[in-house]
Amino acid sequence: MILVAGCIAEEYDYSPPSITLGSTGIQMVESNIDWTRVDEYLKETEDIMALAKQQPLYRVQASTEDYIQFDHQDFAIQQLTVSVWQGDKQIPLDMKTETTFNFPSQVGEYVVEVNLVSDNGSAQYVANILIE
């Protein structure tokens, strides 16, 4: 009798995830990261608005539904929020599901901000958008 035993190796990615807004294809940029899984990963950005304004301007239709897409999800989401900034005014967006939201109906240029709190740490992402 021959017994063959083995295991299936799974790879896990413990780094902070990259984020894309799935419906619009907006590539979010890391602005502030405090990720503590395996090796600590820290990134601090003093002026997230300036960072966002350096990014490409994405055009979005008013009230468009979008969702947050992670390049991996080897972490448990504890809190996920999305807001937009117009000048110095922050507008929190209601989450329809854990990862789904709608952009504002009011046209104009905004900075979109995603904040993730997980069991591995926290991460903040920004992008530059024009709502038409």
Side-chain angles (χ1 to χ4, degrees):
M1 180 172 162
I2 298 174
L3 179 62
V4 177
C7 63
I8 298 173
E10 291 186 44
E11 288 189 30
Y12 295 97
D13 185 349
Y14 295 113
S15 64
S18 295
I19 290 181
T20 302
L21 300 185
S23 296
T24 56
I26 295 171
Q27 297 290 317
M28 303 295 294
V29 176
E30 293 179 354
S31 54
N32 288 294
I33 307 287
D34 185 2
W35 209 256
T36 56
R37 185 66 184 239
V38 182
D39 293 322
E40 189 167 21
Y41 179 93
L42 293 172
K43 179 178 181 177
E44 289 187 38
T45 303
E46 288 186 31
D47 188 348
I48 66 168
M49 296 305 154
L51 174 65
K53 295 294 183 182
Q54 294 170 358
Q55 306 310 310
L57 181 66
Y58 291 93
R59 296 178 182 275
V60 178
Q61 295 299 309
S63 303
T64 297
E65 181 177 289
D66 213 335
Y67 63 95
I68 298 165
Q69 183 175 359
F70 301 103
D71 69 336
H72 70 84
Q73 197 166 343
D74 295 326
F75 55 88
I77 296 172
Q78 295 173 340
Q79 183 178 24
L80 186 62
T81 60
V82 179
S83 58
V84 293
W85 290 83
Q86 194 168 39
D88 61 353
K89 182 180 179 189
Q90 183 179 23
I91 305 163
L93 301 181
D94 292 330
M95 300 299 288
K96 297 174 73 173
T97 67
E98 185 177 55
T99 60
T100 306
F101 64 95
N102 285 80
F103 285 105
S105 58
Q106 187 175 5
V107 299
E109 195 168 327
Y110 296 85
V111 168
V112 61
E113 173 187 3
V114 174
N115 285 291
L116 166 67
V117 178
S118 79
D119 60 338
N120 291 347
S122 61
Q124 179 186 52
Y125 305 84
V126 294
N128 191 20
I129 63 170
L130 175 64
I131 295 181
E132 305 175 308

